[in-house]
Amino acid sequence: MKIELDHLTKNFGEFTAVDHISLAMNNGVYGLLGVNGAGKTTLMRMLCTLLRPTEGTIYCNGRDIWEMDSEYRSLLGYLPQEFGFYPEFSVQDYLLYIAALKGIRPVVAKKRVKELLVKVGLAKAAAHKMKKLSGGMKRRAGIAQAMLNDPQILILDEPTAGLDPNERIRFRNLISELAEERLVLLSTHIVSDVEYIANEIWMMQEGRIVHQGTAKKIIDSMPEAVWECMVEKRMVSVFAKKYKISNMKTDQDGAILRIISQGKPCEQAKRAEATLEDVFLYYFGEKAGDENDTI
Amino acid sequence: MCFYIILEKKQVMKMIRYEVKKVFSKTGGKIALLMLTGMLILVCFLTVKSVEYVDEQGVSRSGIAAARRLREDKNKWAGEITEDVLIEVLQKNREINASKEYQSTDYRENDKAYARKQGFSDIRDMINHAFTAFREYDYYRVDSVTDEEVGSFYERRIAGLNDWLYSEEAKDIYSEEEKEFLLTKYQELKTPFYYEYADGWKAFSEYAPTLIMLTVLILGFPVSGIFANEIQLKADAIFFSAKLGRNKAVLSKIGAGILMITGIYWVMVLLYSAVVFAILGTGGAGCAIQTGLGGWKSFYHITYLQEYLLIIFGGYLGSLFMLTLAMFLSASTRSAILAVTVPFVLLFIPSFLNDISALSKVLGLLPDQLLQMGQAAAFFNLYHPGGKVTGALPIIMTLYPILFAAMLPVLYHVYRKTQIQ
């Protein structure tokens, strides 16, 4: 499976959400990282044929996905960021309906739904109405619907958003399990999710892919170093003005700062190993972590 | 190949079932069904109640027994309305008018007199119509019609029209060709009329528009949601990214809409027909509509049975058109609220414009006419398609199936091209 983006561009009036992206993806997990408004969702929606590009196109194994139409969509599994469902449907009915939308024969669909309900841990809730499910259960139903057609391309937009830590870890593991032998594109602004699962990371900013590669490669690409030092609490604001602070932990004795800086920020500072979160903060600065992420 | 087609059909049918389930699993859908049931019961009650029989004691009754007795009384006058029959009616009327019950100032006594008149009340009404001016109605005109002049009963119907067409009121409304058309239609109507009790058909014709219009208005709510709800529930991303999301799933939505309109419309209309005809009877199916008060002036040569068919099939066509238009608006604007207003606008705007005579020709072709074919058959709206004069009914019965059929591919195309931003 090979997906190629060829000068992919999407404008909304004057605003360019995706700006001439050219990339190729093969089987594996790709993590799309970016602040809110970077264009992640727009890019994913184009990959799901939900939006037509203003310029450029997307190829699947060398064929234009818009020309492939339903043939392309038969390869696709998609979990959108805002997972809408039919509140009065039971989980089983919901999945059977989506199976019908995916053109799965009823006999096969029944079997597949049963398997997936077990896999995502919803077997006991099969008869429950969708509206009665907890946030985590809804997300699991969401991943189950995306997997119904055993897709070769799995696109997950913020799949762990709003989940509690336990659910997030379960969900992450589930995605890793499902990621074998297919192309998975995962968008998130939770850096640790991508760090754990993705083979390759794309960092997106203002509609462009600004960095790409493995987590290590991206971390190594950061030209500055990471330092840790303890300072007096009153000095925190002074350091904050001067440096990028990726983390701060306060206790009775003062504040332990994690500082991104080329040179040693203070005498007692010690070099620390850079993480993807440091890199994220370094590249995306103060905008990192905004909640509004629909563009 | 054959197996594949069957499989595809099965899948579409399955999707249609889920679409219908989506609509009726919601509280709004359930409320709509309850409202339809309540409305059906109410309209059946009003229809049956509208046919009254006044017994010998002057007491009004309605229901199965009352309808049976009224039928017996009226069917004593069943047959062709010849001059002899008309004279007999006049004599009988005079005889009752001379009775002490009729002369009394006590209305209960008057009702007793009416009880003796109700068997020939329909023929009495026709005489009133024939012997008063075309645009008027005098309930007591029959009392002054003489045995000698009643023989001109059928000629008076035509003469009444002729006088009106050339009166100050109407002379400029119709062209000579149109006047000729109307007069010819009147002259061509087969006389003498055959008469028998037909109150079941008349009551149906009177109340069916109420039932059909309310059905369309209520159905507008669930039907408008078929396309817009996908977007409102934010389920559109998964819907359109699925293999069949931009082809068969869209077809299944259209199919579900048409199935819901068709199923509910026919259940309502056929249940209503069954109740009305079971209680009021089906006698008089072959009588011309001109034998009733509502159809006397009509230039359409149809029987009550034909009028019934026109009402139910016209209503179906109107429902299909209006509600598909609502679906179209729902698909193109993604708003169920806007879509739900379509039937209201199409039904109520024409009634506000009714008084503007300059618009009568346009109003005669609007889709609300399809929901009230009984009344539409009584209107004098004339058109010239292909240079030939004709009434509104053949035009709307041809125009709206074409518009409905043309709307379907547009609806399909609009919805399948939906982009999710």
Side-chain angles (χ1 to χ4, degrees):
Chain A
M1 179 57 52
K2 188 177 183 185
I3 295 286
E4 290 166 280
L5 279 56
D6 181 19
H7 292 94
L8 196 69
T9 304
K10 182 68 191 179
N11 298 329
F12 294 107
E14 295 288 297
F15 176 70
T16 303
V18 173
D19 193 0
H20 293 89
I21 291 181
S22 294
L23 275 173
M25 292 181 272
N26 293 299
N27 281 0
V29 183
Y30 293 80
L32 192 55
L33 264 182
V35 294
N36 305 314
K40 304 188 297 287
T41 298
T42 303
L43 175 64
M44 290 192 142
R45 285 186 176 167
M46 285 193 280
L47 275 161
C48 293
T49 68
L50 296 173
L51 265 180
R52 280 227 174 226
T54 313
E55 264 181 66
T57 193
I58 301 168
Y59 296 102
C60 173
N61 291 337
R63 292 170 66 197
D64 189 315
I65 64 166
W66 306 99
E67 281 168 20
M68 287 173 79
D69 199 41
S70 60
E71 192 190 338
Y72 169 73
R73 288 196 298 273
S74 70
L75 306 171
L76 196 66
Y78 177 46
L79 174 61
Q81 184 183 353
E82 282 186 280
F83 167 53
F85 49 83
Y86 312 104
E88 303 295 335
F89 274 27
S90 69
V91 179
Q92 178 155 313
D93 268 349
Y94 172 71
L95 292 175
L96 285 171
Y97 173 58
I98 302 296
L101 283 180
K102 292 185 177 220
I104 302 168
R105 283 190 291 131
V107 184
V108 180
K110 271 186 190 167
K111 204 176 148 207
R112 184 81 182 132
V113 166
K114 211 173 167 184
E115 280 169 14
L116 280 167
L117 283 173
V118 173
K119 198 159 195 165
V120 300
L122 285 175
K124 284 183 184 164
H128 292 190
K129 282 191 175 178
M130 288 292 289
K131 66 178 178 185
K132 302 271 183 194
L133 301 184
S134 67
M137 289 164 99
K138 280 174 191 160
R139 282 269 140 193
R140 279 187 265 154
I143 192 81
Q145 66 76 25
M147 290 302 298
L148 275 167
N149 53 331
D150 196 12
Q152 292 184 45
I153 305 160
L154 184 59
I155 296 178
L156 308 169
D157 195 357
E158 300 281 357
T160 56
L163 297 184
D164 64 40
N166 280 338
E167 277 282 4
R168 239 178 72 207
I169 293 164
R170 278 193 61 179
F171 210 82
R172 235 160 43 190
N173 295 339
L174 181 65
I175 294 167
S176 292
E177 200 184 318
L178 298 172
E180 290 165 18
E181 294 172 4
R182 72 185 93 232
L183 190 162
V184 180
L185 179 62
L186 174 78
S187 144
T188 182
H189 60 267
I190 301 170
V191 180
S192 58
D193 285 349
V194 173
E195 201 167 11
Y196 278 106
I197 317 172
N199 308 116
E200 183 159 331
I201 297 164
W202 295 352
M203 295 183 90
M204 201 169 174
Q205 192 172 30
E206 292 173 358
R208 290 167 182 258
I209 303 293
V210 288
H211 294 279
Q212 66 180 103
T214 60
K216 188 177 179 312
K217 189 181 162 192
I218 288 180
I219 291 167
D220 291 346
S221 74
M222 186 167 71
E224 296 189 16
V226 179
W227 307 85
E228 269 187 1
C229 59
M230 175 164 284
V231 298
E232 286 177 46
K233 281 180 190 170
R234 64 184 174 83
M235 293 299 289
V236 170
S237 58
V238 177
F239 277 87
K241 276 181 189 164
K242 202 170 174 189
Y243 302 105
K244 280 183 177 169
I245 296 175
S246 73
N247 196 30
M248 181 178 77
K249 189 181 164 189
T250 56
D251 61 20
Q252 286 172 335
D253 303 326
I256 301 168
L257 301 182
R258 196 172 166 86
I259 298 169
I260 301 167
S261 164
Q262 208 153 26
K264 203 173 182 178
C266 60
E267 268 310 305
Q268 71 274 31
K270 288 177 187 167
R271 275 293 284 270
E273 200 170 327
T275 64
L276 200 58
E277 266 186 56
D278 297 321
V279 180
F280 189 72
L281 186 89
Y282 174 76
Y283 285 121
F284 299 138
E286 288 170 2
K287 277 175 102 184
D290 283 0
E291 284 305 312
N292 177 18
D293 188 17
T294 52
I295 293 176
Chain B
M1 181 67 183
C2 195
F3 175 71
Y4 180 74
I5 292 168
I6 292 168
L7 208 68
E8 293 274 293
K9 271 190 182 169
K10 262 185 147 180
Q11 267 177 341
V12 172
M13 290 310 293
K14 199 171 175 65
M15 280 191 278
I16 288 177
R17 273 215 304 275
Y18 279 116
E19 287 297 340
V20 174
K21 190 174 178 176
K22 269 190 226 173
V23 171
F24 291 113
S25 64
K26 289 200 306 187
T27 313
K30 287 172 190 159
I31 291 173
L33 284 182
L34 273 175
M35 283 175 73
L36 286 166
T37 311
M39 189 258 294
L40 176 65
I41 293 167
L42 181 69
V43 178
C44 282
F45 174 77
L46 291 174
T47 311
V48 170
K49 196 89 180 138
S50 73
V51 176
E52 287 186 347
Y53 175 74
V54 180
D55 67 15
E56 297 82 352
Q57 302 308 312
V59 179
S60 284
R61 299 183 188 282
S62 56
I64 299 175
R68 183 173 45 77
R69 293 196 63 184
L70 185 65
R71 182 162 59 240
E72 285 167 7
D73 270 17
K74 286 193 173 182
N75 279 345
K76 285 175 189 160
W77 295 89
E80 289 187 342
I81 307 173
T82 58
E83 189 176 349
D84 292 343
V85 172
L86 292 165
I87 291 170
E88 201 182 336
V89 166
L90 291 181
Q91 286 170 349
K92 190 83 183 162
N93 185 58
R94 280 197 290 269
E95 188 185 301
I96 296 164
N97 285 356
S99 68
K100 66 175 176 20
E101 289 90 352
Y102 186 85
Q103 300 289 333
S104 170
T105 51
D106 183 348
Y107 74 91
R108 280 164 295 200
E109 291 299 307
N110 297 159
D111 285 346
K112 286 180 190 172
Y114 175 75
R116 291 160 59 200
K117 282 187 179 183
Q118 65 193 335
F120 58 85
S121 59
D122 292 331
I123 302 172
R124 192 182 179 281
D125 283 338
M126 281 188 268
I127 297 172
N128 283 333
H129 258 309
F131 287 90
T132 47
F134 189 73
R135 294 266 280 167
E136 288 164 23
Y137 178 79
D138 179 359
Y139 182 78
Y140 299 101
R141 178 68 179 92
V142 66
D143 297 344
S144 58
V145 175
T146 62
D147 293 357
E148 291 71 34
E149 64 181 338
V150 81
S152 63
F153 173 77
Y154 294 108
E155 288 78 20
R156 289 295 295 247
R157 181 172 176 270
I158 300 162
L161 171 68
N162 188 64
D163 292 347
W164 178 70
L165 285 175
Y166 289 95
S167 68
E168 280 302 313
E169 183 194 358
K171 67 176 184 185
D172 297 327
I173 298 176
Y174 300 102
S175 65
E176 278 306 312
E177 192 186 4
E178 287 170 339
K179 287 172 186 164
E180 188 58 38
F181 170 82
L182 289 170
L183 286 167
T184 308
K185 281 285 177 188
Y186 263 46
Q187 283 155 0
E188 283 173 355
L189 186 64
K190 191 185 163 211
T191 56
F193 295 158
Y194 175 79
Y195 171 79
E196 67 177 288
Y197 165 89
D199 285 33
W201 302 100
K202 290 177 200 167
F204 180 92
S205 167
E206 190 183 343
Y207 283 90
T210 307
L211 180 92
I212 294 170
M213 283 184 194
L214 287 174
T215 302
V216 170
L217 291 178
I218 296 171
L219 257 180
F221 288 89
V223 161
S224 297
I226 294 175
F227 288 88
N229 280 355
E230 217 67 57
I231 291 145
Q232 279 157 6
L233 290 170
K234 294 189 163 62
D236 49 352
I238 291 172
F239 181 89
F240 286 112
S241 63
K243 181 187 175 187
L244 307 179
R246 290 194 187 271
N247 41 58
K248 291 195 178 75
V250 181
L251 280 181
S252 75
K253 277 189 179 291
I254 298 172
I258 292 173
L259 185 75
M260 276 166 52
I261 299 164
T262 304
I264 290 174
Y265 175 85
W266 286 110
V267 165
M268 295 292 287
V269 164
L270 294 178
L271 275 177
Y272 175 62
S273 305
V275 171
V276 169
F277 293 127
I279 296 173
L280 302 180
T282 55
C287 292
I289 59 168
Q290 284 77 6
T291 57
L293 213 55
W296 169 260
K297 289 177 188 170
S298 176
F299 63 84
Y300 293 98
H301 299 178
I302 51 174
T303 63
Y304 281 116
L305 175 64
Q306 287 164 335
E307 185 191 43
Y308 168 78
L309 294 173
L310 209 56
I311 289 169
I312 61 170
F313 284 104
Y316 176 54
L317 186 56
S319 308
L320 269 182
F321 175 79
M322 288 188 184
L323 294 170
T324 306
L325 191 62
M327 287 198 284
F328 174 70
L329 212 67
S330 149
S332 49
T333 64
R334 305 174 186 196
S335 162
I337 296 164
L338 204 64
V340 101
T341 60
V342 169
F344 284 91
V345 170
L346 291 176
L347 284 177
F348 293 119
I349 294 291
S351 56
F352 289 118
L353 303 173
N354 255 345
D355 294 335
I356 307 169
S357 57
L359 292 176
S360 67
K361 282 203 172 191
V362 178
L363 295 177
L365 294 178
L366 292 184
D368 66 304
Q369 298 297 303
L370 289 163
L371 307 192
Q372 43 190 340
M373 291 295 263
Q375 278 96 317
F379 294 148
F380 276 20
N381 289 318
L382 298 176
Y383 306 88
H384 298 252
K388 197 182 156 199
V389 182
T390 185
L393 299 195
I395 295 177
I396 58 176
M397 288 298 275
T398 313
L399 177 68
Y400 286 100
I402 294 169
L403 289 179
F404 164 69
M407 217 169 5
L408 296 178
V410 182
L411 170 60
Y412 174 76
H413 188 74
V414 163
Y415 200 64
R416 80 181 294 261
K417 292 284 174 194
T418 301
Q419 298 220 12
I420 298 158
Q421 297 188 0

